[in-house]
Amino acid sequence: MHMQTQEHQFNELDIRAVLLLKKRVVDEKDIQTYVNEISTYVNSLNYLYIYNMTNQDLTDLYKALKKFNNISYATVEDYGEVENYQMAYEQLIDSGCQYGVVLEQGYYYEEGDFLRLRKYAIEHIDKNIAVITALPLRGCEPFSRSGEEYRECKGCHLTGALVNLDIFNKIGGLKIEYYQSMFDYEYCLRAQKNNYKIILLENCVIRTTNYKIVEKRYFFMKFSSFEYDLMDLYYQTRNRFYLWEEYETINPEYVKLDKKLYKDEKYDIKRSDPQYRDKFYMMEEAKYDYIRRITGKYKGGKESEKD
């Protein structure tokens, strides 16, 4: 009975994913880690495309994945985060599936949660939903189930989310000029502007291992937080300014909330990160580049490099 139900779900809705491999695979331990991550979702997909962007021969990893018969592999250039995601969604559109998912190394779902996302998508196929996302958490963050199964939200990271590809096509895809970071929130805001919904399934969890913890001591007190990568922080800050400018009158509630979050993040960085001056410098660089209307890839800190 369970097999028949699952087969019916696969026939009813075609969901495919692209996994972007950008980190080098060092040893057998890495291979086993990635196989374990992929195992949390591959059996609930109609098909998985793996893009090797590492400039490395990944034959050993592919051999370890031979037990799955719905995976294919391609060697692909790394064009930057936004273009990589756009390219992946275009591949998924060309495949003819209804929902597409883009994933990266270091992401995995709690047991059974990707199948729950799939079930929700099937049950709400005609509900004007642009994105269905699980609750994103880092590997070490605690989780307790909520009484509320799902709710609409303002935006989310697209990594691991189910994206309705028909809607993606209609509203014009991703903003390539963002290059990296915040492009997914901009996409969600644009979808809502066009009367589509972003749905968060509060009892489904996607976790990432892509984080570091930093800490700083003040006498007998110790403060810790999750570290912000310098380049991520640059793009996140710069693109935030562009996003606020565009949506301040369209979605003032989101912009107000995000400005508060930005202020809280700056406070957290200063309090917890020993390298906070470097982070603040990069945030000022981002603000300066926004004022000069610079988009795309970061061109370096010297004025002469930007002209």
Side-chain angles (χ1 to χ4, degrees):
M1 177 66 76
H2 174 71
M3 288 288 290
Q4 287 178 342
T5 303
Q6 192 173 44
E7 185 178 344
H8 175 66
Q9 287 187 351
F10 272 69
N11 292 336
E12 194 168 348
L13 187 66
D14 192 343
I15 300 178
R16 304 185 183 206
V18 170
L19 171 61
L20 308 176
L21 297 181
K22 295 192 285 186
K23 298 178 184 176
R24 292 183 67 81
V25 179
V26 177
D27 52 27
E28 283 293 328
K29 185 180 177 183
D30 278 354
I31 289 174
Q32 191 56 54
T33 296
Y34 298 141
V35 170
N36 290 343
E37 290 172 0
I38 292 166
S39 298
T40 67
Y41 53 83
V42 66
N43 286 324
S44 299
L45 288 168
N46 292 75
Y47 208 80
L48 173 64
Y49 306 91
I50 294 182
Y51 287 2
N52 176 8
M53 300 177 165
T54 65
N55 292 319
Q56 180 186 8
D57 182 352
L58 296 181
T59 302
D60 290 340
L61 174 62
Y62 301 158
K63 283 180 180 177
L65 292 168
K66 278 183 72 174
K67 58 184 176 180
F68 305 112
N69 60 8
N70 61 336
I71 303 178
S72 64
Y73 312 94
T75 300
V76 179
E77 290 290 320
D78 183 353
Y79 295 104
E81 188 178 31
V82 183
E83 287 202 47
N84 291 342
Y85 272 62
Q86 180 70 29
M87 175 175 59
Y89 288 126
E90 287 173 359
Q91 154 100 52
L92 294 166
I93 289 167
D94 289 344
S95 77
C97 64
Q98 291 131 303
Y99 276 92
V101 184
V102 180
L103 285 144
E104 299 181 28
Q105 287 153 292
Y107 284 85
Y108 62 95
Y109 298 88
E110 295 273 305
E111 185 177 356
D113 280 355
F114 189 84
L115 191 57
R116 293 185 184 96
L117 289 173
R118 182 186 188 96
K119 184 179 177 184
Y120 184 90
I122 291 169
E123 292 172 350
H124 299 82
I125 192 67
D126 298 318
K127 300 294 184 182
N128 269 3
I129 298 173
V131 180
I132 305 169
T133 181
L135 182 67
L137 293 173
R138 296 175 180 87
C140 64
E141 290 182 293
F143 170 70
S144 57
R145 294 201 172 270
S146 165
E148 191 176 14
E149 289 293 324
Y150 64 89
R151 62 178 173 85
E152 287 190 49
C153 62
K154 294 290 184 185
C156 66
H157 289 296
L158 291 182
T159 310
L162 275 63
V163 173
N164 183 311
L165 297 175
D166 181 53
I167 294 172
F168 184 89
N169 239 348
K170 284 178 181 175
I171 67 173
L174 306 176
K175 281 206 171 183
I176 300 299
E177 62 268 29
Y178 272 36
Y179 188 79
Q180 180 176 319
S181 189
M182 298 304 292
F183 64 93
D184 32 19
Y185 284 92
E186 190 284 326
Y187 176 79
C188 290
L189 290 172
R190 186 157 26 101
Q192 289 171 96
K193 185 177 77 170
N194 286 276
N195 299 314
Y196 298 112
K197 300 173 186 174
I198 313 300
I199 299 295
L200 167 66
L201 269 60
E202 297 204 87
N203 290 325
C204 292
V205 173
I206 181 170
R207 292 189 180 273
T208 181
T209 58
N210 300 335
Y211 64 90
K212 294 179 182 177
I213 296 175
V214 290
E215 60 181 40
K216 197 161 78 171
R217 291 182 179 273
Y218 293 93
F219 301 104
F220 299 107
M221 294 183 293
K222 181 173 72 174
F223 297 96
S224 62
S225 67
F226 298 106
E227 185 177 25
Y228 291 85
D229 175 82
L230 274 177
M231 289 315 304
D232 283 344
L233 194 58
Y234 167 82
Y235 289 113
Q236 179 178 298
T237 304
R238 187 194 70 187
N239 294 338
R240 250 179 168 148
F241 287 121
Y242 284 115
L243 188 148
W244 294 344
E245 177 187 313
E246 183 172 357
Y247 288 94
E248 192 140 30
T249 57
I250 299 169
N251 198 326
E253 185 182 356
Y254 172 86
V255 173
K256 183 179 179 181
L257 287 170
D258 198 50
K259 284 182 176 180
K260 183 182 183 304
L261 182 61
Y262 173 69
K263 186 177 179 181
D264 291 344
E265 286 171 356
K266 286 187 73 174
Y267 173 78
D268 192 44
I269 289 169
K270 186 171 184 180
R271 185 186 66 166
S272 306
D273 193 334
Q275 307 299 322
Y276 77 91
R277 288 187 178 86
D278 292 340
K279 309 290 168 55
F280 279 15
Y281 173 81
M282 193 59 83
M283 293 170 91
E284 285 302 309
E285 275 289 295
K287 187 176 180 180
Y288 177 70
D289 283 356
Y290 159 72
I291 291 168
R292 299 188 67 214
R293 313 310 290 175
I294 289 174
T295 58
K297 190 173 182 179
Y298 176 65
K299 296 179 175 63
K302 295 179 181 178
E303 288 187 37
S304 59
E305 293 174 347
K306 299 178 184 179
D307 293 330

